[in-house]
Amino acid sequence: MNTTSLPKPNSMEFDIHAKLKAANSHWSYCYAVHPHDKGFDYQFNTTFVGEMEFAVYERIENYFVLVDFFKSYDEACDDAKKIIDDHPDIKKMFSVS
C-alpha cells in the first residue's frame, strides 16, 4: 500500500480515476446499493492498516460512487469537503482538540 500523500491539484479539475491509479489504491470506484442502504445518499468509509484512511462515496442511482479518499480533511477534494461539512457528526472526527 502506498503511504505517501498525493498532492491535490490546484488549477486542474479533480480526477478520481487518476488518483486511484496513481495511488494504486484498494478503494473501489463504485459498488451496488444494497437494501439496507435505503434512504442513504452518502457512505463514509474508513480503513486502518498502518494509518487511518477515509473514503466518501455518493449515491448515484443504484450505486455508491467514490468521491475521494484521503488521510486528512485537508487532503480531500472540494466535493468531499462539502459533503463532510454538511454532516457535523463526521466533521467533528477531523477536529483537533
Side-chain angles (χ1 to χ4, degrees):
M1 180 168 84
N2 186 352
T3 59
T4 58
S5 296
L6 298 174
K8 189 171 98 174
N10 292 329
S11 59
M12 298 184 306
E13 187 173 322
F14 180 74
D15 183 352
I16 190 61
H17 298 287
K19 185 174 180 180
L20 279 166
K21 185 175 180 179
N24 193 25
S25 180
H26 62 87
W27 295 108
S28 297
Y29 173 68
C30 71
Y31 57 90
V33 170
H34 297 286
H36 65 270
D37 295 319
K38 184 178 179 178
F40 294 105
D41 293 327
Y42 303 102
Q43 290 279 335
F44 181 78
N45 299 333
T46 61
T47 61
F48 185 72
V49 179
E51 63 184 318
M52 188 78 68
E53 189 171 47
F54 309 95
V56 173
Y57 287 84
E58 181 176 20
R59 185 177 184 156
I60 299 176
E61 297 181 9
N62 292 322
Y63 293 92
F64 281 106
V65 178
L66 184 62
V67 175
D68 196 9
F69 60 96
F70 44 89
K71 293 182 174 92
S72 71
Y73 178 84
D74 292 335
E75 291 180 7
C77 73
D78 292 340
D79 289 340
K81 285 180 181 176
K82 182 180 180 333
I83 293 166
I84 293 167
D85 292 346
D86 289 345
H87 295 84
D89 52 332
I90 300 296
K91 176 81 183 243
K92 71 181 175 184
M93 292 178 58
F94 295 99
S95 299
V96 178
S97 300

XYZ file of all heavy atoms in Angstrom:
801
model
N 0.845 -1.178 0.000
C 0.000 0.000 0.000
C 0.883 1.230 0.000
O 1.853 1.325 0.737
C -0.918 -0.012 1.217
C -1.827 1.192 1.260
S -3.142 1.068 2.473
C -2.289 1.607 3.924
N 0.555 2.192 -0.801
C 1.287 3.438 -0.896
C 0.897 4.334 0.281
O -0.273 4.643 0.457
C 0.947 4.120 -2.228
C 1.776 5.345 -2.479
O 2.518 5.794 -1.616
N 1.642 5.888 -3.673
N 1.870 4.738 1.090
C 1.560 5.536 2.276
C 1.891 7.005 2.111
O 1.746 7.786 3.033
C 2.307 4.998 3.517
O 3.706 5.038 3.255
C 1.849 3.590 3.846
N 2.338 7.413 0.935
C 2.638 8.822 0.728
C 1.373 9.549 0.312
O 0.511 8.991 -0.367
C 3.723 9.018 -0.355
O 3.251 8.424 -1.560
C 5.031 8.381 0.070
N 1.266 10.793 0.716
C 0.116 11.604 0.352
C 0.309 12.138 -1.055
O 1.406 12.527 -1.427
C -0.031 12.782 1.316
O -0.295 12.312 2.601
N -0.774 12.140 -1.802
C -0.716 12.683 -3.143
C -1.101 14.148 -3.105
O -2.015 14.535 -2.384
C -1.677 11.929 -4.060
C -1.374 10.445 -4.231
C -2.473 9.777 -5.029
C -0.036 10.260 -4.917
N -0.413 14.983 -3.886
C -0.769 16.398 -3.889
C -2.133 16.608 -4.519
O -2.523 15.886 -5.431
C 0.331 17.036 -4.744
C 0.871 15.929 -5.573
C 0.678 14.664 -4.783
N -2.854 17.583 -4.013
C -4.150 17.927 -4.565
C -3.927 18.958 -5.662
O -3.293 19.982 -5.425
C -5.047 18.499 -3.468
C -6.484 18.687 -3.908
C -7.361 19.036 -2.755
C -7.549 20.516 -2.741
N -8.477 20.980 -1.758
N -4.406 18.719 -6.870
C -4.194 19.692 -7.928
C -4.909 20.995 -7.620
O -6.031 21.003 -7.142
C -4.785 19.025 -9.167
C -5.575 17.868 -8.688
C -5.151 17.551 -7.292
N -4.227 22.107 -7.893
C -4.794 23.418 -7.596
C -5.621 23.966 -8.741
O -6.700 24.480 -8.537
C -3.686 24.418 -7.252
C -3.018 24.067 -5.946
O -3.658 23.518 -5.061
N -1.747 24.349 -5.830
N -5.118 23.876 -9.957
C -5.803 24.516 -11.066
C -6.489 23.518 -11.996
O -7.198 23.911 -12.896
C -4.813 25.368 -11.854
O -3.766 24.552 -12.346
N -6.268 22.229 -11.787
C -6.882 21.230 -12.646
C -8.143 20.687 -11.987
O -8.253 20.670 -10.777
C -5.909 20.075 -12.898
C -4.649 20.495 -13.599
S -3.557 19.131 -14.000
C -3.325 18.303 -12.451
N -9.058 20.234 -12.808
C -10.256 19.607 -12.281
C -9.868 18.282 -11.623
O -9.048 17.533 -12.146
C -11.247 19.366 -13.407
C -12.581 18.869 -12.935
C -13.594 18.796 -14.063
O -13.584 19.677 -14.923
O -14.390 17.833 -14.053
N -10.460 17.995 -10.484
C -10.137 16.777 -9.742
C -10.557 15.554 -10.549
O -11.652 15.498 -11.101
C -10.845 16.797 -8.382
C -10.562 15.585 -7.562
C -9.339 15.411 -6.959
C -11.525 14.601 -7.404
C -9.065 14.282 -6.194
C -11.271 13.475 -6.644
C -10.038 13.314 -6.051
N -9.704 14.543 -10.597
C -9.960 13.312 -11.353
C -9.724 12.112 -10.434
O -8.588 11.724 -10.193
C -9.039 13.251 -12.570
C -9.280 12.031 -13.448
O -10.058 11.123 -13.053
O -8.695 11.984 -14.539
N -10.810 11.529 -9.928
C -10.698 10.411 -9.001
C -10.073 9.197 -9.674
O -9.342 8.439 -9.040
C -12.064 10.056 -8.353
C -11.878 9.057 -7.204
C -13.049 9.543 -9.374
C -11.011 9.547 -6.068
N -10.307 9.017 -10.961
C -9.711 7.880 -11.673
C -8.188 7.985 -11.674
O -7.497 6.993 -11.425
C -10.237 7.794 -13.108
C -11.703 7.573 -13.190
N -12.305 6.370 -12.896
C -12.714 8.412 -13.524
C -13.608 6.472 -13.048
N -13.885 7.703 -13.427
N -7.675 9.171 -11.935
C -6.219 9.379 -11.946
C -5.638 9.170 -10.548
O -4.570 8.575 -10.402
C -5.889 10.782 -12.459
N -6.355 9.633 -9.520
C -5.867 9.472 -8.152
C -5.841 8.001 -7.749
O -4.876 7.531 -7.140
C -6.727 10.277 -7.177
C -6.201 10.262 -5.755
C -6.982 11.190 -4.855
C -6.437 11.155 -3.433
N -7.177 12.045 -2.535
N -6.883 7.261 -8.090
C -6.922 5.825 -7.800
C -5.753 5.099 -8.464
O -5.085 4.276 -7.835
C -8.239 5.210 -8.289
C -9.456 5.378 -7.409
C -10.722 5.014 -8.178
C -9.331 4.548 -6.144
N -5.516 5.429 -9.716
C -4.439 4.776 -10.464
C -3.071 5.155 -9.900
O -2.215 4.287 -9.687
C -4.525 5.159 -11.943
C -3.537 4.429 -12.803
C -3.741 4.764 -14.270
C -2.731 4.008 -15.114
N -2.912 4.281 -16.535
N -2.851 6.435 -9.634
C -1.555 6.908 -9.127
C -1.236 6.308 -7.759
O -0.086 5.990 -7.463
C -1.546 8.436 -9.052
N -2.253 6.150 -6.936
C -2.053 5.627 -5.579
C -2.064 4.099 -5.541
O -1.756 3.518 -4.501
C -3.134 6.167 -4.649
N -2.446 3.467 -6.643
C -2.610 2.013 -6.661
C -3.483 1.603 -5.465
O -3.139 0.712 -4.695
C -1.255 1.296 -6.641
C -1.389 -0.165 -6.970
O -2.325 -0.585 -7.629
N -0.439 -0.952 -6.488
N -4.583 2.316 -5.317
C -5.423 2.219 -4.131
C -6.296 0.974 -4.095
O -6.666 0.412 -5.124
C -6.318 3.454 -4.051
O -7.136 3.397 -2.909
N -6.657 0.584 -2.892
C -7.554 -0.545 -2.655
C -9.020 -0.145 -2.745
O -9.898 -1.001 -2.813
C -7.302 -1.149 -1.272
C -7.560 -0.176 -0.168
N -8.803 0.000 0.387
C -6.741 0.712 0.443
C -8.737 0.939 1.322
N -7.496 1.381 1.375
N -9.328 1.165 -2.726
C -10.720 1.609 -2.739
C -11.379 1.248 -4.066
O -10.793 1.409 -5.125
C -10.816 3.122 -2.523
C -10.352 3.554 -1.175
C -9.198 4.226 -0.889
C -11.008 3.347 0.073
N -9.102 4.442 0.463
C -10.201 3.914 1.082
C -12.196 2.737 0.446
C -10.546 3.890 2.426
C -12.541 2.716 1.787
C -11.717 3.293 2.760
N -12.615 0.822 -4.011
C -13.394 0.547 -5.221
C -13.944 1.852 -5.754
O -14.324 2.737 -4.982
C -14.574 -0.372 -4.905
O -14.117 -1.615 -4.446
N -14.022 1.965 -7.069
C -14.593 3.173 -7.667
C -16.096 3.256 -7.391
O -16.619 4.325 -7.111
C -14.323 3.217 -9.180
C -15.050 4.354 -9.837
C -14.684 5.679 -9.578
C -16.133 4.119 -10.675
C -15.374 6.730 -10.150
C -16.821 5.163 -11.257
C -16.441 6.468 -10.991
O -17.123 7.512 -11.551
N -16.782 2.120 -7.448
C -18.213 2.129 -7.127
C -18.639 0.738 -6.671
O -17.939 -0.241 -6.896
C -19.052 2.589 -8.314
S -19.158 1.449 -9.680
N -19.774 0.703 -6.002
C -20.367 -0.568 -5.605
C -21.874 -0.404 -5.543
O -22.396 0.699 -5.391
C -19.782 -1.096 -4.291
C -19.895 -0.177 -3.109
C -20.998 -0.216 -2.265
C -18.879 0.735 -2.811
C -21.098 0.620 -1.167
C -18.966 1.579 -1.710
C -20.079 1.513 -0.901
O -20.175 2.350 0.179
N -22.561 -1.510 -5.698
C -24.024 -1.505 -5.765
C -24.641 -1.144 -4.418
O -24.135 -1.518 -3.361
C -24.533 -2.863 -6.218
N -25.756 -0.433 -4.483
C -26.552 -0.117 -3.300
C -27.272 -1.388 -2.874
O -27.754 -2.153 -3.707
C -27.572 0.996 -3.635
C -28.569 1.187 -2.510
C -26.850 2.299 -3.955
N -27.312 -1.628 -1.578
C -27.994 -2.794 -1.020
C -29.294 -2.358 -0.345
O -29.475 -1.178 -0.034
C -27.088 -3.493 -0.007
C -25.837 -4.030 -0.620
N -25.816 -5.147 -1.416
C -24.564 -3.580 -0.579
C -24.591 -5.369 -1.837
N -23.807 -4.437 -1.334
N -30.207 -3.286 -0.093
C -31.477 -2.922 0.542
C -31.305 -2.154 1.862
O -32.085 -1.253 2.156
C -32.160 -4.272 0.767
C -31.606 -5.142 -0.303
C -30.175 -4.702 -0.468
N -30.273 -2.468 2.646
C -30.087 -1.774 3.925
C -29.581 -0.335 3.738
O -29.527 0.424 4.695
C -29.138 -2.559 4.841
C -27.740 -2.661 4.322
N -27.341 -3.701 3.514
C -26.658 -1.860 4.491
C -26.059 -3.533 3.210
N -25.629 -2.429 3.788
N -29.229 0.054 2.502
C -28.775 1.416 2.210
C -29.931 2.345 1.836
O -29.703 3.506 1.494
C -27.770 1.411 1.048
C -26.492 0.683 1.385
O -25.996 0.845 2.517
O -25.982 -0.053 0.511
N -31.163 1.857 1.899
C -32.327 2.645 1.502
C -32.360 3.969 2.278
O -32.229 3.984 3.498
C -33.612 1.865 1.761
C -34.846 2.571 1.280
C -36.092 1.745 1.501
C -37.299 2.510 1.014
N -38.523 1.742 1.147
N -32.488 5.052 1.556
C -32.588 6.365 2.178
C -31.258 7.053 2.401
O -31.220 8.204 2.839
N -30.153 6.391 2.114
C -28.847 6.998 2.317
C -28.281 7.520 1.001
O -28.301 6.814 -0.017
C -27.856 6.005 2.929
C -28.221 5.602 4.327
C -28.760 4.355 4.578
C -28.042 6.481 5.380
C -29.103 3.979 5.873
C -28.392 6.119 6.676
C -28.925 4.867 6.919
N -27.776 8.754 1.032
C -27.189 9.363 -0.163
C -25.663 9.303 -0.161
O -25.042 9.528 -1.200
C -27.616 10.831 -0.277
C -29.104 10.951 -0.542
O -29.672 10.082 -1.226
O -29.707 11.928 -0.055
N -25.058 9.040 1.003
C -23.600 9.026 1.117
C -23.146 7.864 1.985
O -23.879 7.411 2.856
C -23.079 10.325 1.751
C -23.496 11.547 0.987
C -24.545 12.340 1.423
C -22.838 11.918 -0.186
C -24.946 13.455 0.712
C -23.225 13.029 -0.908
C -24.288 13.798 -0.455
O -24.673 14.900 -1.169
N -21.923 7.429 1.749
C -21.243 6.462 2.614
C -19.899 7.078 2.989
O -19.207 7.641 2.131
C -20.993 5.142 1.880
C -22.235 4.345 1.612
C -22.685 3.548 2.823
O -21.906 3.203 3.689
N -23.970 3.268 2.864
N -19.544 6.977 4.250
C -18.249 7.434 4.745
C -17.545 6.194 5.286
O -17.991 5.601 6.252
C -18.443 8.475 5.851
C -17.162 9.021 6.397
C -16.452 9.983 5.700
C -16.671 8.585 7.609
C -15.266 10.488 6.208
C -15.497 9.082 8.126
C -14.792 10.044 7.420
N -16.478 5.788 4.613
C -15.778 4.555 4.973
C -14.381 4.863 5.494
O -13.773 5.860 5.099
C -15.671 3.631 3.759
C -17.021 3.230 3.231
O -18.000 3.194 3.960
N -17.094 2.932 1.951
N -13.894 3.985 6.355
C -12.538 4.140 6.887
C -11.814 2.809 6.841
O -12.435 1.749 6.854
C -12.541 4.636 8.354
O -13.224 3.678 9.159
C -13.210 5.980 8.492
N -10.499 2.899 6.779
C -9.641 1.725 6.948
C -8.527 2.121 7.898
O -8.164 3.299 8.002
C -9.006 1.230 5.636
O -8.181 2.251 5.097
C -10.047 0.821 4.634
N -8.017 1.141 8.600
C -6.884 1.384 9.471
C -5.928 0.215 9.322
O -6.061 -0.804 9.969
C -7.307 1.545 10.927
C -6.160 1.907 11.820
C -5.605 3.173 11.771
C -5.623 0.986 12.688
C -4.535 3.512 12.592
C -4.551 1.312 13.511
C -4.009 2.579 13.460
N -5.007 0.373 8.383
C -3.953 -0.607 8.160
C -2.671 0.205 8.105
O -2.327 0.780 7.082
C -4.161 -1.398 6.850
C -3.031 -2.387 6.635
C -5.507 -2.097 6.847
N -2.012 0.326 9.240
C -0.823 1.159 9.324
C -1.160 2.597 9.666
O -0.559 3.188 10.544
N -2.142 3.162 8.966
C -2.627 4.506 9.270
C -4.067 4.634 8.789
O -4.517 3.882 7.944
C -1.736 5.574 8.643
C -1.663 5.568 7.133
C -0.690 6.591 6.589
O -0.650 7.717 7.095
O 0.033 6.247 5.657
N -4.784 5.586 9.361
C -6.194 5.782 9.047
C -6.340 6.411 7.663
O -5.603 7.324 7.310
C -6.836 6.699 10.089
C -8.324 6.824 9.963
S -9.251 5.431 10.606
C -8.948 5.562 12.334
N -7.289 5.883 6.882
C -7.622 6.478 5.587
C -9.134 6.500 5.467
O -9.820 5.601 5.958
C -6.999 5.674 4.441
C -7.127 6.366 3.106
C -6.331 5.675 2.013
O -6.412 4.437 1.892
O -5.628 6.392 1.293
N -9.654 7.531 4.837
C -11.087 7.751 4.719
C -11.496 7.753 3.247
O -10.702 8.109 2.382
C -11.467 9.109 5.326
C -10.935 9.307 6.709
C -9.735 9.972 6.928
C -11.622 8.822 7.811
C -9.232 10.157 8.197
C -11.131 8.997 9.092
C -9.931 9.670 9.287
N -12.746 7.415 2.989
C -13.306 7.499 1.646
C -14.751 7.974 1.753
O -15.485 7.563 2.651
C -13.260 6.152 0.946
N -15.130 8.857 0.844
C -16.501 9.352 0.772
C -17.093 8.867 -0.547
O -16.492 9.042 -1.611
C -16.545 10.894 0.833
C -17.959 11.404 0.596
C -16.012 11.399 2.157
N -18.265 8.227 -0.441
C -18.997 7.753 -1.604
C -20.326 8.487 -1.683
O -20.955 8.755 -0.660
C -19.280 6.255 -1.491
C -18.074 5.376 -1.709
C -17.192 5.099 -0.675
C -17.828 4.813 -2.956
C -16.090 4.275 -0.879
C -16.732 3.989 -3.171
C -15.864 3.728 -2.133
O -14.777 2.923 -2.341
N -20.761 8.794 -2.905
C -22.047 9.445 -3.125
C -22.942 8.505 -3.918
O -22.502 7.876 -4.886
C -21.858 10.742 -3.900
C -23.134 11.493 -4.152
C -22.906 12.829 -4.832
O -21.846 13.031 -5.444
O -23.803 13.674 -4.734
N -24.201 8.439 -3.517
C -25.143 7.575 -4.221
C -25.557 8.224 -5.537
O -25.983 9.376 -5.581
C -26.386 7.326 -3.370
C -27.325 6.353 -4.011
C -28.497 6.066 -3.128
N -29.339 5.050 -3.748
C -30.144 4.275 -3.080
N -30.247 4.385 -1.769
N -30.866 3.385 -3.705
N -25.410 7.460 -6.603
C -25.889 7.867 -7.919
C -26.715 6.694 -8.436
O -26.171 5.636 -8.753
C -24.722 8.211 -8.876
C -23.922 9.386 -8.304
C -25.253 8.513 -10.276
C -22.699 9.768 -9.101
N -28.015 6.902 -8.431
C -28.992 5.873 -8.782
C -28.787 4.631 -7.919
O -28.973 4.715 -6.715
C -28.948 5.578 -10.278
C -29.339 6.793 -11.108
C -29.323 6.543 -12.594
O -29.174 5.381 -13.024
O -29.463 7.529 -13.332
N -28.372 3.517 -8.489
C -28.250 2.264 -7.731
C -26.815 1.926 -7.346
O -26.507 0.767 -7.066
C -28.854 1.108 -8.538
C -30.354 1.254 -8.670
O -31.026 1.676 -7.740
N -30.883 0.928 -9.828
N -25.946 2.936 -7.332
C -24.533 2.721 -6.995
C -24.036 3.801 -6.043
O -24.517 4.932 -6.063
C -23.661 2.743 -8.259
C -23.933 1.576 -9.156
C -24.872 1.676 -10.174
C -23.284 0.360 -8.965
C -25.150 0.593 -10.987
C -23.563 -0.729 -9.785
C -24.493 -0.605 -10.789
O -24.768 -1.683 -11.582
N -23.066 3.440 -5.215
C -22.286 4.417 -4.468
C -20.990 4.599 -5.242
O -20.276 3.626 -5.510
C -21.995 3.942 -3.040
C -23.162 4.134 -2.114
C -23.920 3.055 -1.703
C -23.506 5.393 -1.670
C -24.999 3.224 -0.852
C -24.590 5.581 -0.815
C -25.335 4.492 -0.412
N -20.705 5.846 -5.615
C -19.549 6.173 -6.440
C -18.552 6.967 -5.602
O -18.929 7.907 -4.881
C -19.985 6.992 -7.679
C -18.787 7.375 -8.533
C -20.990 6.191 -8.508
N -17.288 6.604 -5.702
C -16.228 7.233 -4.924
C -16.080 8.707 -5.293
O -15.889 9.050 -6.449
C -14.901 6.502 -5.160
C -13.696 6.973 -4.362
C -13.921 6.785 -2.851
C -12.449 6.208 -4.813
N -16.170 9.570 -4.275
C -15.939 10.999 -4.452
C -14.455 11.280 -4.261
O -13.820 11.950 -5.075
C -16.784 11.831 -3.455
C -16.452 13.313 -3.547
C -18.265 11.579 -3.674
N -13.879 10.755 -3.162
C -12.453 10.926 -2.884
C -12.053 10.019 -1.728
O -12.902 9.570 -0.960
C -12.145 12.384 -2.523
C -10.663 12.723 -2.594
O -9.858 11.892 -3.078
O -10.283 13.833 -2.168
N -10.751 9.772 -1.622
C -10.177 9.071 -0.472
C -8.983 9.890 -0.009
O -8.331 10.566 -0.806
C -9.781 7.625 -0.831
C -8.758 7.514 -1.924
C -7.410 7.372 -1.612
C -9.131 7.553 -3.249
C -6.470 7.258 -2.616
C -8.197 7.435 -4.259
C -6.861 7.293 -3.948
N -8.724 9.874 1.305
C -7.739 10.794 1.865
C -7.379 10.377 3.278
O -8.105 9.607 3.909
C -8.290 12.221 1.861
C -9.723 12.300 2.322
C -10.031 12.464 3.654
C -10.760 12.155 1.415
C -11.346 12.503 4.089
C -12.091 12.197 1.833
C -12.377 12.371 3.170
N -6.276 10.931 3.771
C -5.817 10.630 5.130
C -6.130 11.768 6.103
O -6.093 11.581 7.309
C -4.326 10.329 5.113
C -4.020 9.041 4.374
C -2.556 8.714 4.401
C -2.311 7.368 3.784
N -2.023 7.384 2.391
N -6.416 12.945 5.568
C -6.795 14.078 6.415
C -7.788 14.953 5.654
O -7.844 14.907 4.417
C -5.569 14.909 6.803
O -5.075 15.621 5.688
N -8.539 15.731 6.394
C -9.532 16.625 5.792
C -8.895 17.529 4.748
O -9.465 17.746 3.681
C -10.198 17.446 6.903
C -11.203 18.449 6.402
C -12.511 18.056 6.129
C -10.855 19.786 6.214
C -13.448 18.973 5.673
C -11.786 20.701 5.752
C -13.072 20.292 5.485
O -13.998 21.197 5.024
N -7.706 18.047 5.040
C -7.036 18.967 4.111
C -6.690 18.322 2.777
O -6.556 19.015 1.772
C -5.771 19.541 4.749
C -6.086 20.463 5.912
O -7.202 21.042 5.945
O -5.225 20.601 6.800
N -6.524 17.011 2.748
C -6.202 16.299 1.510
C -7.439 16.032 0.650
O -7.306 15.684 -0.520
C -5.548 14.953 1.812
C -4.177 15.038 2.396
C -3.596 13.651 2.674
O -4.211 12.629 2.287
O -2.534 13.594 3.293
N -8.625 16.154 1.218
C -9.857 15.831 0.495
C -10.127 16.845 -0.606
O -9.793 18.024 -0.483
C -11.031 15.793 1.471
N -10.771 16.381 -1.673
C -11.166 17.292 -2.745
C -12.314 18.173 -2.247
O -12.935 17.897 -1.214
C -11.566 16.517 -4.003
S -13.151 15.666 -3.901
N -12.611 19.219 -2.980
C -13.647 20.168 -2.568
C -15.021 19.514 -2.424
O -15.769 19.836 -1.496
C -13.722 21.338 -3.548
C -12.489 22.224 -3.487
O -11.758 22.185 -2.469
O -12.243 22.974 -4.459
N -15.359 18.590 -3.316
C -16.664 17.920 -3.221
C -16.766 17.076 -1.951
O -17.797 17.065 -1.284
C -16.913 17.036 -4.445
C -17.177 17.852 -5.710
O -17.546 19.040 -5.602
O -17.007 17.291 -6.810
N -15.699 16.373 -1.612
C -15.702 15.570 -0.386
C -15.786 16.472 0.843
O -16.517 16.158 1.794
C -14.460 14.695 -0.320
N -15.059 17.586 0.831
C -15.119 18.531 1.958
C -16.535 19.062 2.149
O -17.002 19.197 3.279
C -14.154 19.685 1.745
C -12.712 19.322 1.974
C -11.824 20.527 1.746
C -10.360 20.164 1.943
N -9.468 21.292 1.644
N -17.219 19.373 1.053
C -18.581 19.891 1.166
C -19.502 18.852 1.815
O -20.310 19.176 2.679
C -19.124 20.300 -0.201
C -20.522 20.895 -0.115
C -21.066 21.291 -1.450
C -22.442 21.883 -1.402
N -23.329 21.518 -0.344
N -19.366 17.599 1.406
C -20.183 16.525 1.992
C -19.878 16.399 3.484
O -20.788 16.312 4.310
C -19.935 15.198 1.254
C -20.472 15.290 -0.181
C -20.580 14.027 2.007
C -19.999 14.184 -1.098
N -18.611 16.423 3.842
C -18.213 16.333 5.249
C -18.733 17.540 6.027
O -19.282 17.390 7.122
C -16.680 16.216 5.378
C -16.216 14.877 4.808
C -16.240 16.393 6.831
C -14.710 14.788 4.597
N -18.587 18.728 5.458
C -19.039 19.954 6.125
C -20.545 19.938 6.379
O -21.021 20.509 7.360
C -18.670 21.187 5.304
C -17.173 21.449 5.254
O -16.419 20.852 6.059
O -16.744 22.245 4.395
N -21.287 19.289 5.491
C -22.745 19.216 5.635
C -23.190 18.188 6.679
O -24.378 18.069 6.962
C -23.405 18.878 4.292
C -23.349 20.028 3.296
O -23.069 21.174 3.715
O -23.575 19.772 2.091
N -22.243 17.439 7.234
C -22.550 16.411 8.235
C -21.653 16.622 9.458
O -20.556 16.066 9.544
C -22.356 15.005 7.639
C -23.320 14.728 6.537
N -23.105 15.117 5.240
C -24.537 14.132 6.567
C -24.143 14.764 4.507
N -25.030 14.171 5.291
N -22.108 17.439 10.416
C -21.290 17.796 11.580
C -20.771 16.595 12.375
O -19.682 16.659 12.943
C -22.230 18.647 12.438
C -23.294 19.114 11.515
C -23.414 18.070 10.443
N -21.518 15.495 12.398
C -21.063 14.318 13.142
C -19.808 13.729 12.507
O -18.934 13.211 13.213
C -22.174 13.269 13.232
C -22.771 12.911 11.881
O -22.766 13.768 10.969
O -23.255 11.780 11.724
N -19.692 13.817 11.206
C -18.484 13.360 10.510
C -17.386 14.415 10.629
O -16.228 14.096 10.894
C -18.762 13.068 9.023
C -19.829 11.988 8.874
C -17.492 12.696 8.273
C -19.449 10.632 9.405
N -17.745 15.662 10.468
C -16.764 16.771 10.511
C -16.002 16.784 11.832
O -14.791 17.014 11.861
C -17.480 18.110 10.274
C -16.596 19.330 10.388
C -15.815 19.573 9.128
C -14.888 20.742 9.282
N -15.135 21.846 8.440
N -16.670 16.484 12.937
C -16.004 16.544 14.233
C -14.906 15.488 14.371
O -14.008 15.623 15.177
C -17.001 16.480 15.387
C -17.648 15.152 15.591
C -18.635 15.214 16.744
C -19.379 13.904 16.883
N -20.395 13.989 17.914
N -14.951 14.441 13.538
C -13.888 13.441 13.548
C -12.553 14.044 13.120
O -11.498 13.543 13.484
C -14.228 12.280 12.613
C -15.370 11.435 13.069
S -15.761 10.126 11.906
C -14.209 9.256 11.826
N -12.605 15.117 12.352
C -11.396 15.744 11.844
C -10.952 16.939 12.688
O -9.909 17.520 12.413
C -11.614 16.216 10.400
C -11.840 15.066 9.455
C -13.113 14.699 9.067
C -10.773 14.341 8.972
C -13.333 13.639 8.205
C -10.960 13.277 8.112
C -12.239 12.930 7.733
N -11.722 17.299 13.702
C -11.375 18.428 14.563
C -10.223 18.055 15.492
O -10.206 16.977 16.071
C -12.567 18.861 15.404
O -13.607 19.279 14.550
N -9.296 18.985 15.634
C -8.154 18.773 16.532
C -8.488 19.466 17.839
O -8.860 20.623 17.874
C -6.865 19.367 15.921
C -5.705 19.187 16.871
C -6.586 18.731 14.586
N -8.373 18.737 18.917
C -8.684 19.307 20.247
C -7.540 20.112 20.787
O -6.413 19.867 20.573
C -8.995 18.188 21.228
O -10.103 17.449 20.764
